[in-house]
Amino acid sequence: MKCPHCGHEEDKVVDSRSVQDGRAVRRRRECLKCSDRFTTYEYIENVVMTVVKSDHRREPFDRQKVFSGIKLACNKRPVSAKKVEAMVDEIEARLHELSKNVVTSQYVGELIMEKLKEVDEVAYVRFASVYRQFQDKEEFFKEIKKMLE
Ligand SMILES: [Zn+2]
């Protein structure tokens, strides 16, 4: 597995565990060159999820991106990294349940917002404000107003 940090191709597995009710194996890997740690997931039938962005560019689903987005939204909120990890697990499981190989980035964003809404209202509004910045400003103000009421 190519290290996302330095591109080196050799790593060692430092942790391996079954997730999503045994439907996936999560592996923590450590790059043998720069010691950067990253996570890989192994699925039965190994479906690669492609995300179509609003500008029509396609990229493989990136769990790390979802994690970073949620983590940022939860900055200084009482949401543990473990909780964030669990949210990403649930989002990923939902995507795999669709049995589709292609999803839109908008759909992924909606799933993230749905999860955040359940967990932390402030984090939800933060994420939604950034996410919807170029889509629907009214929505953002409505959310902020609701929060202040
Ligand atoms: Zn590396």
Side-chain angles (χ1 to χ4, degrees):
M1 199 64 64
K2 211 169 193 168
C3 169
H5 185 69
C6 74
H8 191 66
E9 293 199 15
E10 283 171 284
D11 61 71
K12 62 175 179 191
V13 175
V14 290
D15 182 46
S16 182
R17 65 184 169 95
S18 177
V19 291
Q20 296 174 16
D21 298 324
R23 283 178 294 141
V25 177
R26 176 184 189 274
R27 292 198 169 93
R28 281 297 280 167
R29 295 171 181 271
E30 188 178 300
C31 174
L32 294 182
K33 195 177 169 194
C34 73
S35 299
D36 193 39
R37 288 195 173 186
F38 53 100
T39 305
T40 58
Y41 282 79
E42 186 181 291
Y43 293 94
I44 296 165
E45 290 186 330
N46 225 358
V47 182
V48 178
M49 187 74 66
T50 299
V51 178
V52 183
K53 303 175 60 150
S54 52
D55 60 6
H56 304 296
R57 275 188 301 129
R58 287 166 173 250
E59 58 179 43
F61 174 76
D62 185 349
R63 196 191 145 85
Q64 197 54 46
K65 266 190 192 170
V66 175
F67 182 85
S68 306
I70 296 177
K71 193 88 180 59
L72 202 64
C74 293
N75 187 34
K76 290 183 179 153
R77 297 298 304 159
V79 184
S80 66
K82 211 174 162 188
K83 181 73 199 166
V84 176
E85 196 80 46
M87 288 163 75
V88 181
D89 275 350
E90 284 165 29
I91 289 166
E92 204 166 21
R94 282 278 294 279
L95 290 174
H96 281 276
E97 274 163 21
L98 292 173
S99 306
K100 284 198 285 192
N101 294 350
V102 180
V103 289
T104 62
S105 58
Q106 192 187 341
Y107 184 74
V108 177
E110 298 291 336
L111 284 183
I112 294 173
M113 284 190 275
E114 202 177 284
K115 282 282 151 220
L116 279 173
K117 205 168 190 172
E118 290 168 12
V119 172
D120 190 284
E121 190 77 9
V122 173
Y124 161 69
V125 172
R126 271 186 198 152
F127 183 89
S129 70
V130 176
Y131 181 74
R132 292 184 171 141
Q133 207 166 9
F134 302 106
Q135 297 184 40
D136 191 349
K137 278 206 164 64
E138 286 305 310
E139 198 73 27
F140 172 47
F141 290 118
K142 234 164 61 193
E143 295 299 339
I144 290 284
K145 231 182 112 201
K146 256 199 284 184
M147 228 177 73
L148 297 173
E149 272 167 6

